[in-house]
Amino acid sequence: MESYRQVVNYLPHWLRPMLDSLSTEQAASVQEIRLRSNGPILLVTTDSVLAVTPGFQLTQNQLEDILFVLCGGSIYAHEAEIAQGFIELTGGHRVGIGGKYVKVNSGQLVLQKVLSLNIRIARFDTGTLPPELIQILQTSFSALMIAGEPGSGKTTLLRSMVRFFSLQNTLCTVIDERSEIFPPGAYNSSGCDCIQGLNKITAIEMALRTLAPRVLLVDELVSLEETKLLEIGAHTGVNLVITMHASSLQELEQKVQVQYLLRKKILRHTCILSGRTAPGQIKEVQTYC
C-alpha cells in the first residue's frame, strides 16, 4: 500500500482523488497505473485490469501535464531517460513512455508527443526463496536463468538471492542498470557490490575486471553481446544469475541468448515463474547438465 500511495503523490493534484479512494487491500495489489491520451485510467492488479472512474478519459493536455509533473517540472532534465522510453521516480518506480519520437541532428531521440504512460510500482520486498531455488544456489551452478512474464516477481527474487548470498558471506555483484533492484536509499544494507546507471555491457565488463565477484546477478539480459561477456565470467569461475522475459520454457529456449549459453554448456538451470497471480513462485525447473 505504501508504494502505491507514494506513486499517487507524484501525480498532479487534480488526478490524485481518482486514485486515492482504493482500500488498503486494493492498493496493495496494484502493480501498474496505465494512462493513455483519450483513454481511461487503468489499474493493473495481480489478477485483473480495473478502470478508474468509468467513462472518464484523459485528454492530451492532461497526459502532457502528468508527464511534466512526474519530471519534477523539467522535461529537459530527464531527456536522456526519456530518449530510452522511461523515467525513474524516487523509490524505484519506473514510468514507461509511449509516444511519437523524432531524431534531432545529433542523432538523439526526442519525444515529440506523449501518447501513453505506464507507471510500474516498485515494492522493495525480499520474500522467502523457494526451496528448489535454495538447493540450486548452494551448488556451483555456473549459470541460473530466472524467466517469467512482467510482474511475475523476477526482481523480487533477485533481491532475495542477494540477501541469501550476503548471509552466506558470498561475494556478489548486481548489475542494476535502471536502479530497479535497489531503489535510492535501499542499497546500503544489501551486503553486495552494485553497479547502477550504466548500460549492461559496460557494467559487466567493469564488474568482472574490478570487483572479482563470486556470483554476478544480471537483470533482464537483452543482447548477444551481453551474453558473450557473461561467458567470459563463467569461464573464470563466476556463477551467473540472469533474468529474462519469457512466459514458458519453450519461449525462453527460442531466444538467441539462451541458445548461445546452452551451446556453450554454461546454462545449467532454468526456473520458470508462475506469473502475475503468484509472484515469485516457481512453476517449472529445467536442469541441462
Side-chain angles (χ1 to χ4, degrees):
M1 175 185 174
E2 290 300 325
S3 297
Y4 175 80
R5 303 296 182 202
Q6 184 182 42
V7 167
V8 170
N9 287 334
Y10 286 130
L11 295 167
H13 289 282
W14 58 263
L15 181 57
R16 294 178 193 175
M18 298 185 212
L19 297 166
D20 236 348
S21 59
L22 297 188
S23 68
T24 300
E25 183 179 355
Q26 288 174 318
S29 70
V30 176
Q31 297 178 334
E32 299 172 357
I33 302 173
R34 291 184 173 262
L35 311 164
R36 295 189 180 98
S37 176
N38 301 314
I41 301 170
L42 300 176
L43 301 180
V44 180
T45 71
T46 52
D47 57 6
S48 63
V49 178
L50 309 172
V52 175
T53 315
F56 174 83
Q57 290 193 330
L58 288 168
T59 67
Q60 180 64 33
N61 287 339
Q62 287 174 325
L63 190 66
E64 291 172 1
D65 180 53
I66 293 169
L67 179 59
F68 180 77
V69 172
L70 289 173
C71 288
S74 176
I75 300 290
Y76 175 78
H78 293 271
E79 65 176 4
E81 285 181 298
I82 292 173
Q84 299 180 64
F86 74 97
I87 60 172
E88 289 285 346
L89 304 177
T90 302
H93 316 291
R94 183 170 67 176
V95 184
I97 302 171
K100 182 179 180 181
Y101 286 81
V102 295
K103 274 189 178 181
V104 295
N105 293 336
S106 63
Q108 173 83 3
L109 285 174
V110 174
L111 180 67
Q112 188 178 67
K113 183 179 182 180
V114 58
L115 296 175
S116 64
L117 299 170
N118 177 26
I119 307 173
R120 293 190 63 183
I121 298 172
R123 291 182 170 88
F124 188 69
D125 300 324
T126 51
T128 302
L129 286 174
E132 57 267 51
L133 195 52
I134 293 176
Q135 186 176 357
I136 292 171
L137 298 180
Q138 289 175 331
T139 67
S140 180
F141 52 85
S142 183
L144 164 66
M145 182 76 70
I146 307 292
E149 62 185 24
S152 59
K154 297 187 295 295
T155 302
T156 299
L157 275 182
L158 281 182
R159 293 192 195 108
S160 300
M161 283 187 272
V162 168
R163 183 173 182 272
F164 173 85
F165 290 127
S166 298
L167 291 173
Q168 302 292 319
N169 294 318
T170 300
L171 300 175
C172 64
T173 298
V174 176
I175 306 301
D176 191 9
E177 183 176 359
R178 296 180 175 178
S179 302
E180 292 181 291
I181 302 171
F182 296 115
Y187 164 67
N188 291 340
S189 61
S190 67
C192 72
D193 297 314
C194 187
I195 299 177
Q196 295 182 325
L198 295 177
N199 66 76
K200 282 190 278 293
I201 291 173
T202 302
I204 292 169
E205 287 179 332
M206 188 181 296
L208 295 177
R209 186 173 64 249
T210 66
L211 295 176
R214 182 71 182 86
V215 178
L216 183 65
L217 300 96
V218 181
D219 199 14
E220 295 188 18
L221 184 66
V222 174
S223 72
L224 188 57
E225 188 176 357
E226 295 166 0
T227 308
K228 289 180 178 179
L229 282 175
L230 293 178
E231 179 191 7
I232 295 173
H235 287 319
T236 61
V238 178
N239 287 311
L240 309 170
V241 177
I242 310 159
T243 73
M244 290 188 72
H245 288 302
S247 58
S248 68
L249 182 63
Q250 292 73 22
E251 178 186 346
L252 183 70
E253 290 179 342
Q254 290 175 3
K255 294 181 181 290
V256 63
Q257 305 95 310
V258 174
Q259 291 175 357
Y260 183 89
L261 292 173
L262 288 172
R263 191 163 60 248
K264 296 292 183 175
K265 300 189 182 301
I266 294 170
L267 182 57
R268 190 164 296 170
H269 304 281
T270 293
C271 294
I272 305 297
L273 301 184
S274 297
R276 287 179 177 269
T277 57
Q281 298 302 306
I282 294 175
K283 177 173 65 176
E284 181 180 2
V285 177
Q286 175 69 46
T287 299
Y288 296 101
C289 56

